[in-house]
Amino acid sequence: MQPPARGAGRSLSDKLLLLVVAVCVAVAVVRLLLVIATVPYAFYVDARSGGKTSGGEPIEVAMRIKNSTPFATWWGERKIPFRAGGDYLKVMSHSSAKRTLGCVAGVVLRDQQRYGLDIRTVITPLDEAALFGTVAGTPMTRADGTAYVAEWAPIGYGAAFFTDVPFVQTPYRPVLTPAAAARLDNRLKLRRIERDIYVPASGAGAGTTYVVVAVQRGADRDFLIVPVELVREDVGL
Amino acid sequence: MSAYLSQMAAIGFFVVVGWAALWPVRRVLGPAGYHAAALPFGLLAPLLAGVFSSLSGRPLDGIATVIGALALVAVMHALFKSLGSAPQWKPERADARSMLLGACLWTAASALFALTRLTVTNNDSVMAYWPRGVELTRTGMFTGSTIATRSALLPAMNAVHVVFGSDWAYAIYPAMALSVLMWLWISFTEGSLRTSARRTATGIAAIAAVFLAIEPSFIFHSFMAHSQMVSALYLLIALTAVWKVALPDRPGGSSDLTWLVIAGSATAGFAHARPDGLAYMFVPIAVAIGVITRDRVDRRAVAAFFIPLVLLVGSVYGATYATQGLWDSTKLSGSITLAILAVLLFAVVSPWVLQALDRILPFRVSGERFMGTLVVAALAGTAIIFALKWETASGALLNAGTNLFGGAGGYSYLWYGVVAALILSFVSGDALRPGSWTRASFLGMALFFVIVALVHGVSHEGRLGVGDSMNRVVFHALPLVIFHVGSVVGRVLSQRGSNASARTEETKA
């Protein structure tokens, strides 16, 4: 039997490769174990110290976990998965922003129609800055160097995926009288409202035209869309 | 239908369709491969459902969904039968146990994913992928806007979810992730490490699968309602299926054609996963051309790979052209798509072109030389284009570098480890060893990264952060990277094992 060739052991590059792989695997496992070991404790301490919502809103739970250093260094700046139960509007509430208003409006409209409501038209303000609260017009640059200004997509663009009901942009000054606001507060039964709510200054008919009402809740800009039937002008909402 | 049941029903539908489509070749795939491939193959059915609904003018509803499923099964069966892949139609005793285990696996998995209710989104998820799926169930039409900005696969998949009563598709993404892990496993145990000691192969496969499963980017994309996981899945299947045909230790015979059909179909899924998938699909296409031209070009091999690819890609875009005409878009216009499809058609005849070049040129360009030549040419071409568009390209490269290596992209140490391992595999000779899995995977990855750099480097500078497009796209190659490194480790450990055996025998002697 021939003796094995000289240098039949691993080459330096092979040994280094095994070392690199072993280190990567070890680091991955240790980081995960650190997260498992510390995150539940971080959550417990925060809940014990009087966190406002023990067992509360998923977004706040995620924020507490995100503040845990081992988790933050492991997970990076990624969003944290949340439990939304296959409910589009619930999912949307985690991503809600001005530009999602159209899709939410479309879904709510579709659902209202399923309940038998006869919706023919939806009115939204022509002045989208008035609806969104800020002016669009972020200067942007294309890859070829040409400049353009980003605008808000009309609400109807997002809504059109879900419904055929036309969204008509009409120039009107968004006004909500104190009395109408109080009635709306009572109707929506929200605990805390910070809102920009817009209704036509003059009625466009009753029964078949709905006004999309955007309610901004809290600093996170959750939009709750409430189709409100337009009634007589003197009654308002 | 309840939210949970609708998720399980949709996943069950895709799995059953995949089982049906792959039934004749279940022996070639093996039980593990058969069940791992079922979901990704079933996900091709909504594409054909959308083609039917677009051309017929009806919504993508239950009828269109069933027709799409039947069409996929019919096409796959016809391919397997006509290409002499020795299809096995008759069920056997072993099938009962395999199907029972597969059914239990997918039922349990889909129930778990449905009940956890976990999902994560960005604006694309909630404002594009899902709404466009809902739109398909109302209009049935692949619009130019949908094709240009999101491509067909995910909107069509979401449409099928709507058909099953879902209000948001979320369990399908971890199901795709499970398929990735399963396919990675069998890529080792029945692929690159098939000839290694069983303990070595299963050990490496297990460590690789666990490493991938606990990687934060993998966990994130397992729940992210976007195109990353499905792209990673199809890319892994397409390339490893072609490599099964490429390597000297392959079973050979009619199973080669089966694997090429699988590779071509997966390439079509990859192409439809996102608009830039039409560019990335040329990675598995190039790999397949290299394999097909290894010996004298067999037209059945060309047919096996390209027929499912051209059929699935061509039918979707054909339906869109027929109903929308030449659409405009700043992302993927109808005219640019037409040009890419023309290149695809050229790719169909390119094996014969390469064969002709071999006769003319003083050096060989086909076979195993093809990928190496192509990678070098692509690198050179990309460098020239970058030089011409340096302002955009430099910004894109800087952002990409900071994302991958500076922590901004959320990968931490990962890509440092990847680069170190790749350099060492190059130094050790594994990266370019002729006739090896490691050469095939190294050059496949190299071409993918060059194309990604080209697509993203000239289109826009990108941005820092996990949400950057290129930062997400490199994830597509992560399972491949782990496959490559694991295969090299397998070679190292097997070599040590054979050296140890030689010394033991010498001692005994």
Side-chain angles (χ1 to χ4, degrees):
Chain A
M1 167 71 78
Q2 293 283 338
R6 286 180 70 86
R10 293 196 185 110
S11 65
L12 178 62
S13 60
D14 285 353
K15 288 177 187 168
L16 285 173
L17 177 81
L18 290 179
L19 180 66
V20 165
V21 169
V23 166
C24 287
V25 172
V27 168
V29 171
V30 165
R31 277 155 57 99
L32 180 65
L33 289 175
L34 270 174
V35 170
I36 291 169
T38 57
V39 165
Y41 178 71
F43 176 74
Y44 169 75
V45 167
D46 196 52
R48 283 266 297 177
S49 65
K52 281 182 188 170
T53 56
S54 58
E57 295 291 331
I59 293 176
E60 298 204 28
V61 168
M63 291 309 294
R64 285 204 295 278
I65 290 174
K66 205 166 173 150
N67 288 334
S68 152
T69 303
F71 182 86
T73 53
W74 176 70
W75 191 250
E77 293 295 314
R78 296 179 179 92
K79 289 182 186 178
I80 298 172
F82 50 87
R83 302 188 75 198
D87 180 337
Y88 179 72
L89 285 183
K90 210 167 174 179
V91 170
M92 185 63 92
S93 70
H94 288 259
S95 301
S96 59
K98 296 177 176 116
R99 59 162 112 174
T100 60
L101 191 59
C103 290
V104 175
V107 168
V108 171
L109 206 63
R110 178 196 66 187
D111 292 345
Q112 295 297 316
Q113 286 184 301
R114 281 182 187 157
Y115 296 143
L117 297 173
D118 179 19
I119 304 169
R120 306 284 174 88
T121 320
V122 174
I123 296 175
T124 63
L126 183 64
D127 179 4
E128 287 168 346
L131 178 64
F132 293 130
T134 57
V135 178
T138 306
M140 309 277 279
T141 309
R142 293 193 184 89
D144 61 3
T146 54
Y148 67 100
V149 172
E151 303 286 347
W152 297 116
I155 294 174
Y157 178 81
F161 292 122
F162 298 95
T163 177
D164 290 325
V165 173
F167 277 56
V168 176
Q169 287 184 283
T170 306
Y172 64 86
R173 188 168 65 88
V175 169
L176 188 69
T177 63
R183 275 195 293 276
L184 193 64
D185 288 353
N186 186 55
R187 188 166 164 172
L188 294 176
K189 296 192 189 319
L190 297 174
R191 286 196 307 271
R192 184 185 71 205
I193 303 174
E194 290 175 32
R195 65 192 180 285
D196 299 314
I197 302 178
Y198 305 94
V199 295
S202 60
T208 60
T209 301
Y210 273 65
V211 173
V212 176
V213 174
V215 177
Q216 184 171 324
R217 295 190 297 162
D220 288 332
R221 297 181 175 280
D222 290 337
F223 284 94
L224 176 68
I225 305 299
V226 180
V228 176
E229 186 174 357
L230 201 62
V231 293
R232 291 197 322 269
E233 188 177 334
D234 57 345
V235 174
L237 292 170
Chain B
M1 200 186 282
S2 84
Y4 307 129
L5 283 178
S6 66
Q7 301 293 310
M8 292 178 66
I11 293 173
F13 170 77
F14 295 130
V15 169
V16 167
V17 171
W19 278 338
L22 296 171
W23 175 258
V25 295
R26 63 199 181 284
R27 296 268 177 278
V28 174
L29 284 164
Y34 179 61
H35 296 300
L39 179 71
F41 264 75
L43 283 172
L44 299 174
L47 293 171
L48 297 179
V51 170
F52 170 76
S53 62
S54 286
L55 294 175
S56 65
R58 63 175 301 124
L60 205 166
D61 55 9
I63 293 174
T65 301
V66 169
I67 288 176
L70 292 174
L72 179 73
V73 172
V75 163
M76 299 308 294
H77 284 200
L79 280 170
F80 291 134
K81 187 176 176 188
S82 63
L83 289 168
S85 304
Q88 288 172 294
W89 307 97
K90 208 172 153 188
E92 291 170 8
R93 204 182 183 87
D95 292 322
R97 199 177 94 136
S98 167
M99 295 308 292
L100 183 63
L101 283 171
C104 289
L105 167 73
W106 280 113
T107 303
S110 61
L112 174 69
F113 301 144
L115 288 169
T116 56
R117 294 160 51 206
L118 284 170
T119 190
V120 65
T121 64
N122 66 1
N123 280 334
D124 294 344
S125 319
V126 295
M127 289 176 58
Y129 284 117
W130 181 256
R132 291 182 186 278
V134 173
E135 185 186 47
L136 271 174
T137 63
R138 293 176 49 243
T139 67
M141 207 72 75
F142 284 134
T143 62
S145 171
T146 292
I147 293 295
T149 60
R150 300 298 151 201
S151 211
L153 186 82
L154 289 181
M157 177 196 82
N158 285 332
V160 171
H161 275 84
V162 175
V163 167
F164 279 101
S166 292
D167 194 34
W168 176 256
Y170 63 94
I172 189 74
Y173 297 98
M176 291 174 193
L178 177 62
S179 297
V180 169
L181 295 174
M182 288 167 70
W183 197 265
L184 182 66
W185 174 278
I186 62 171
S187 297
F188 283 121
T189 56
E190 295 171 27
S192 62
L193 303 182
R194 204 176 71 225
T195 53
S196 300
R198 191 180 169 85
R199 216 167 57 170
T200 304
T202 51
I204 290 172
I207 291 172
V210 168
F211 180 81
L212 184 60
I214 66 175
E215 159 56 31
S217 58
F218 186 84
I219 298 172
F220 177 75
H221 288 299
S222 298
F223 298 104
M224 177 70 167
H226 214 291
S227 57
Q228 268 65 51
M229 189 57 76
V230 71
S231 296
L233 174 61
Y234 280 124
L235 181 62
L236 182 67
I237 294 175
L239 288 181
T240 52
V242 177
W243 294 333
K244 288 277 272 188
V245 179
L247 287 313
D249 62 348
R250 71 189 189 279
S254 60
S255 65
D256 281 3
L257 297 175
T258 298
W259 284 110
L260 285 172
V261 171
I262 289 167
S265 307
T267 303
F270 186 47
H272 283 304
R274 35 186 302 127
D276 42 353
L278 273 185
Y280 308 143
M281 73 170 175
F282 287 101
V283 175
I285 287 174
V287 172
I289 290 171
V291 167
I292 290 168
T293 57
R294 180 187 51 218
D295 301 309
R296 187 180 165 76
V297 174
D298 180 355
R299 64 179 175 197
R300 291 180 312 157
V302 176
F305 181 80
F306 280 106
I307 286 181
L309 172 58
V310 171
L311 208 65
L312 288 166
V313 170
S315 61
V316 170
Y317 287 104
T320 310
Y321 284 121
T323 56
Q324 309 292 309
L326 217 59
W327 65 89
D328 281 322
S329 173
T330 52
K331 260 199 155 175
L332 183 69
S333 66
S335 46
I336 289 178
T337 304
L338 211 52
I340 295 173
L341 294 177
V343 176
L344 173 60
L345 289 178
F346 174 72
V348 177
V349 299
S350 61
W352 288 283
V353 173
L354 282 178
Q355 224 169 32
L357 284 173
D358 278 346
R359 287 193 288 270
I360 299 168
L361 296 172
F363 49 86
R364 196 168 180 213
V365 292
S366 64
E368 202 157 55
R369 282 276 181 105
F370 178 66
M371 274 302 289
T373 309
L374 187 64
V375 168
V376 169
L379 264 171
T382 301
I384 292 169
I385 292 171
F386 275 12
L388 293 171
K389 294 202 136 203
W390 183 240
E391 206 174 318
T392 309
S394 59
L397 287 174
L398 184 64
N399 283 332
T402 309
N403 281 334
L404 294 180
F405 299 103
Y411 288 109
S412 185
Y413 70 96
L414 179 68
W415 290 98
Y416 286 103
V418 165
V419 168
L422 292 179
I423 290 173
L424 289 167
S425 81
F426 193 83
V427 167
S428 67
D430 287 286
L432 296 176
R433 181 170 295 121
S436 70
W437 282 91
T438 48
R439 175 191 169 101
S441 51
F442 184 84
L443 291 177
M445 283 188 301
L447 186 62
F448 176 77
F449 282 113
V450 170
I451 294 180
V452 167
L454 180 64
V455 167
H456 285 85
V458 299
S459 56
H460 59 85
E461 285 189 10
R463 56 190 167 109
L464 294 179
V466 294
D468 171 62
S469 179
M470 184 168 170
N471 191 61
R472 289 183 279 116
V473 167
V474 296
F475 171 79
H476 301 174
L478 190 57
L480 279 177
V481 168
I482 291 173
F483 172 74
H484 172 79
V485 174
S487 301
V488 177
V489 170
R491 190 272 305 158
V492 170
L493 295 180
S494 298
Q495 208 165 53
R496 173 72 169 190
S498 56
N499 285 343
S501 300
R503 282 195 289 276
T504 304
E505 286 178 25
E506 188 236 338
T507 305
K508 282 181 184 168

